[in-house]
Amino acid sequence: MIRVGRPERHSISEKWLRGAARPPLLTPVSSMRSFWGLMRAYWFSERWVEAWTLTLVIALVTALSSKADVWFTVAAAELATSIAFFHNAANTTPIKTVLTNAGLLVLLVVLKDLVIAGVRNLVSKTLHRKWRGWLDGRFNESLLDTNHTHFHAQHGSSGNAAPDNIDQRVQESIKAMTGGAIGLAMGVLGVFTSLYFVGGELLRNSVEVKGLEFLGSYGSAILALLAIAIYVPFNTWIAVKLGRMLEWLNVRMQQAEGNYRGELITFLRRSFHVAASQGENVQKTVHSQRYADIDRTWARLNVVNTGYASFELIYNFIGAKIVAYGPGLVPFIYNGLDLKGYLTASEQVNALISKCSWFIHVMPEIATLRANSQRVIELAQAIENVQHPQEFYSLTGRSEFRYDRQNPVFGLTIQKLELAHGGEDATPFLSAANLRFRRGEWTFLKGESGCGKTSLIKAINGLWPYGRGTIVFPEGVESFYAAQEVKLQQVSLKQLVCLPASEHDHTDAQVASALHRAGLGDFIGHMADESREGMSWDQVLSGGQKQKLVVARIVLQQPGLLFLDEATGALDPEAKIAFHQAIKDNCPDVTVISIMHEAVPPRSLSGAEFYHSIVAIADGVATKKPLAPSLPVELTTILEHPRPVEERWLRFPRRMRQK
């Protein structure tokens, strides 16, 4: 069910009815169509104080962690030196010295890895939660706007493809992207703070190196920094190459996982139909095909991940055992450094390599970050593309609908309407030269299956993409579109009846009255419940009851223009009559355009016609004519239920037999 035409809600029709003027493209995700735009949006939003406060705390704790690295390297060197000189005659308290240094090192480890790292982890996770929640809100607001963006974004065609698995992008991609981005930022910040604190300590303790006397006392520090500058960037370049492969495979994996999950969700929604048609074997084949794509991609991803893990292990060993201890070896050999100074400098070089190698250690996560951000950016771009639906659809076909308003006395008018499929040269499958629906007129839309009945109603409501023509709505009249299949959201029964308005817009008494008039009076006592006996209302209500729920909405909302797209398909003949009678009694001036499978429209129990006219679609042309005079109700009943001739004749009223 889709409702259009409410001015204060600015529906899609309302936007188009304003004429040729187009407002600038501006949505809650307009600034997120590039990587850096997506990354900085939260920090320049209405919640900038929250974002920058958490970021500042993380920065301060990261700086403290880097300073603790200096203390740790010094303590580690002190412990190693006390062990090395344990048997030295000058060491009068060897056990006490070793234990003291060991205890100090343990305290530093607790401070660094438990307190400092714990605080940073908690604050970073809080920032992750806040940022993700803000992004989720922005994308939901953009998709669920009155432009029906969620609908149009899924209806791209060749040359203008719709984004796949929107649910996965909003949920999983945003979550992984925000977490990865925060981790990356903390790593970069850690590199700079380590260079400042640990690098500064290296410079302060630097000594002259034989053969590099021209560098003065900075010789050992420059030698160490040079080793880092050669070793780390070269291996980072290798990691980037592998990371690009991981990024591509991660995107493919997300697509494969999303397609498989989407098929599972669709299957669970049509579970009854699969069981009724005994289609389990076909469904198993579909699932196997979807999972085969996951399996192939996963196998390739495992190979690259394994290769990267081996590369990282070798890199870590060479960095920690060779590169870290190599630069200080020369001044140590020539007595420029004592053992304690050599070990301290080597540990500091190792700490710098570890920090500067952060990009290598997290390259798989960076690849995942880039993959996730790409999918989020694509969704933001798709949202932006469909803000003017006709311009969007014009890229892949003819979309030249014009929507206007007129005095409500003249009702609804359709002029020179042609509906087609995508493609500039597509032949129209339905045309309507001139259709006029007066205020209070009920029209029955008739035609063979597939002739375009539903497409016509969609086009009137701005939900058909391709074609041309003019649709003129009555000014100030609210429209209500009731589709054949009713899907209920996970909200209270009262909210379901009040849709699309809020449950606060109507009193309990009004909603209860609407439920009673629709034939759902048994549920009045459960209006505040979101479920019943552990099941949602979508599971509790039968197909017929859901369509009665639509009647309750109509009775409550009192629309002036009503579109019924096979909205009585799940009702028996008596319930169909009650459905129409409820609308007739409670919405006396409503204009109704209805699609039904019946050969003739239903009539009231007294034999009075509900409908005044018929729009017949034949050979791709829609024509409207008054409803033909009906046979008396007794004759219609007999013709619909044939009996033996004598019995049928005797069932005719005496006055008819005489005629």
Side-chain angles (χ1 to χ4, degrees):
M1 182 206 71
I2 299 169
R3 185 176 181 168
V4 297
R6 188 175 184 127
E8 62 271 23
R9 296 184 187 275
H10 299 299
S11 68
I12 183 172
S13 296
E14 288 290 340
K15 290 184 177 181
W16 289 0
L17 293 171
R18 295 171 184 169
R22 289 288 187 267
L25 294 177
L26 186 62
T27 70
V29 298
S30 293
S31 61
M32 305 179 198
R33 292 173 292 165
S34 66
F35 179 80
W36 291 113
L38 180 61
M39 292 297 107
R40 66 173 175 259
Y42 175 52
W43 279 262
F44 292 90
S45 71
E46 73 285 353
R47 287 166 59 178
W48 64 272
V49 174
E50 170 188 273
W52 285 107
T53 300
L54 292 170
T55 303
L56 182 60
V57 173
I58 292 172
L60 292 174
V61 176
T62 300
L64 182 60
S65 177
S66 296
K67 184 62 177 178
D69 283 338
V70 176
W71 304 333
F72 178 84
T73 57
V74 173
E78 288 280 1
L79 178 61
T81 302
S82 64
I83 293 173
F85 289 96
F86 188 85
H87 298 291
N88 192 295
N91 190 355
T92 58
T93 56
I95 296 178
K96 179 181 178 182
T97 303
V98 170
L99 291 177
T100 301
N101 289 332
L104 181 60
L105 185 62
V106 170
L107 286 175
L108 285 172
V109 169
V110 171
L111 174 66
K112 178 176 178 294
D113 295 338
L114 180 62
V115 179
I116 298 176
V119 170
R120 189 175 75 158
N121 184 56
L122 178 60
V123 177
S124 66
K125 287 186 180 299
T126 301
L127 178 60
H128 183 194
R129 178 172 58 85
K130 298 287 187 180
W131 186 16
R132 180 201 174 185
W134 181 82
L135 279 174
D136 182 81
R138 298 289 76 72
F139 275 91
N140 273 285
E141 185 178 340
S142 298
L143 286 166
L144 300 172
D145 59 4
T146 53
N147 185 49
H148 307 316
T149 293
H150 63 93
F151 174 81
H152 298 296
Q154 299 179 76
H155 287 77
S157 57
S158 59
N160 201 8
D164 65 307
N165 304 306
I166 291 179
D167 59 330
Q168 183 192 55
R169 293 173 190 259
V170 172
Q171 185 180 23
E172 297 175 11
S173 295
I174 286 180
K175 180 181 179 181
M177 181 206 71
T178 49
I182 292 171
L184 175 62
M186 289 194 302
V188 172
L189 184 60
V191 170
F192 284 105
T193 55
S194 290
L195 284 172
Y196 179 79
F197 289 111
V198 182
E201 193 70 17
L202 269 176
L203 289 172
R204 279 191 294 273
N205 297 323
S206 181
V207 297
E208 188 178 280
V209 177
K210 186 176 180 59
L212 299 175
E213 290 83 0
F214 65 93
L215 295 176
S217 61
Y218 294 110
S220 64
I222 292 176
L223 192 62
L225 293 174
L226 183 63
I228 296 172
I230 293 174
Y231 183 68
V232 175
F234 174 73
N235 286 278
T236 301
W237 177 80
I238 296 174
V240 169
K241 294 295 184 182
L242 294 172
R244 287 177 180 171
M245 296 176 62
L246 289 171
E247 177 187 347
W248 182 81
L249 288 170
N250 269 297
V251 171
R252 284 287 302 118
M253 191 68 174
Q254 288 190 28
Q255 292 173 340
E257 292 276 12
N259 290 337
Y260 185 45
R261 186 181 66 179
E263 178 57 38
L264 286 173
I265 292 173
T266 303
F267 157 64
L268 293 174
R269 288 174 178 171
R270 64 183 181 216
S271 177
F272 168 76
H273 303 285
V274 172
S277 63
Q278 299 183 14
E280 283 81 3
N281 286 333
V282 174
Q283 192 66 44
K284 281 191 288 186
T285 302
V286 174
H287 289 178
S288 298
Q289 291 172 346
R290 294 287 191 274
Y291 191 81
D293 192 20
I294 294 177
D295 191 63
R296 286 191 299 269
T297 307
W298 199 355
R300 299 170 68 182
L301 189 59
N302 286 342
V303 171
V304 179
N305 273 324
T306 301
Y308 194 93
S310 300
F311 158 76
E312 190 176 358
L313 289 172
I314 295 171
Y315 171 84
N316 289 339
F317 174 80
I318 295 175
K321 302 302 180 182
I322 298 177
V323 179
Y325 284 84
L329 191 61
V330 176
F332 176 71
I333 291 173
Y334 289 97
N335 295 318
L337 286 173
D338 59 10
L339 179 61
K340 177 182 175 182
Y342 172 58
L343 293 174
T344 302
S346 298
E347 286 294 329
Q348 289 171 350
V349 172
N350 187 28
L352 269 179
I353 290 175
S354 177
K355 291 292 185 179
C356 294
S357 301
W358 187 86
F359 293 101
I360 295 175
H361 299 324
V362 299
M363 189 56 68
E365 286 76 14
I366 293 175
T368 304
L369 165 64
R370 288 174 57 87
N372 282 303
S373 63
Q374 176 184 334
R375 291 178 66 74
V376 177
I377 290 167
E378 289 172 354
L379 179 57
Q381 186 62 60
I383 289 172
E384 201 72 13
N385 288 343
V386 301
Q387 291 311 297
H388 298 310
Q390 288 202 77
E391 296 175 7
F392 169 72
Y393 290 123
S394 294
L395 298 174
T396 52
R398 173 176 289 182
S399 185
E400 300 173 0
F401 296 105
R402 178 175 174 267
Y403 292 81
D404 207 342
R405 288 288 189 187
Q406 64 185 3
N407 191 299
V409 173
F410 301 108
L412 173 70
T413 302
I414 298 173
Q415 299 172 339
K416 299 179 180 179
L417 183 69
E418 292 182 350
L419 303 185
H421 296 289
E424 289 292 338
D425 301 325
T427 302
F429 62 83
L430 176 63
S431 63
N434 188 17
L435 300 177
R436 183 182 298 276
F437 304 91
R438 303 184 312 276
R439 182 170 60 182
E441 180 181 9
W442 287 45
T443 302
F444 177 55
L445 195 52
K446 180 179 179 181
E448 296 181 355
S449 296
C451 68
K453 299 186 296 294
T454 296
S455 301
L456 175 59
I457 289 184
K458 287 181 177 179
I460 295 173
N461 286 278
L463 297 173
W464 183 262
Y466 302 110
R468 60 182 177 182
T470 300
I471 296 96
V472 186
F473 282 86
E475 184 73 41
V477 173
E478 294 187 8
S479 301
F480 192 102
Y481 182 2
Q484 176 183 14
E485 190 174 11
V486 182
K487 293 292 185 182
L488 304 180
Q489 295 151 301
Q490 185 72 40
V491 293
S492 68
L493 180 61
K494 180 181 178 182
Q495 180 66 80
L496 289 173
V497 178
C498 292
L499 285 175
S502 167
E503 61 182 332
H504 305 295
D505 294 338
H506 301 280
T507 65
D508 289 351
Q510 290 173 324
V511 176
S513 176
L515 284 170
H516 175 72
R517 295 180 187 185
L520 295 174
D522 293 342
F523 297 101
I524 290 176
H526 303 277
M527 289 193 302
D529 300 337
E530 291 188 4
S531 61
R532 190 173 181 186
E533 298 179 355
M535 295 188 296
S536 67
W537 288 108
D538 193 58
Q539 298 170 306
V540 171
L541 300 180
S542 66
Q545 288 173 327
K546 290 178 183 178
Q547 293 186 334
K548 290 180 180 179
L549 181 65
V550 172
V551 178
R553 290 177 181 173
I554 295 169
V555 170
L556 184 66
Q557 303 295 341
Q558 291 288 303
L561 189 56
L562 177 60
F563 301 92
L564 302 176
D565 187 358
E566 299 185 21
T568 60
L571 300 176
D572 57 36
E574 290 76 12
K576 289 179 182 179
I577 294 174
F579 181 102
H580 286 79
Q581 194 66 56
I583 297 173
K584 196 77 169 180
D585 293 341
N586 295 281
C587 307
D589 295 325
V590 66
T591 301
V592 178
I593 301 176
S594 176
I595 299 173
M596 287 180 289
H597 282 302
E598 285 78 0
V600 293
R603 291 178 296 173
S604 69
L605 292 175
S606 64
E609 297 285 0
F610 289 118
Y611 289 86
H612 309 98
S613 57
I614 291 180
V615 170
I617 299 177
D619 299 324
V621 178
T623 54
K624 183 171 179 284
K625 59 183 179 181
L627 188 65
S630 300
L631 294 171
V633 63
E634 300 90 343
L635 181 57
T636 302
T637 303
I638 293 173
L639 292 176
E640 289 178 352
H641 303 282
R643 297 173 181 270
V645 175
E646 295 80 3
E647 184 179 348
R648 281 185 285 161
W649 178 253
L650 291 173
R651 285 173 58 87
F652 274 64
R654 180 182 299 274
R655 66 180 187 280
M656 293 186 63
R657 283 184 289 173
Q658 291 174 347
K659 292 181 180 179

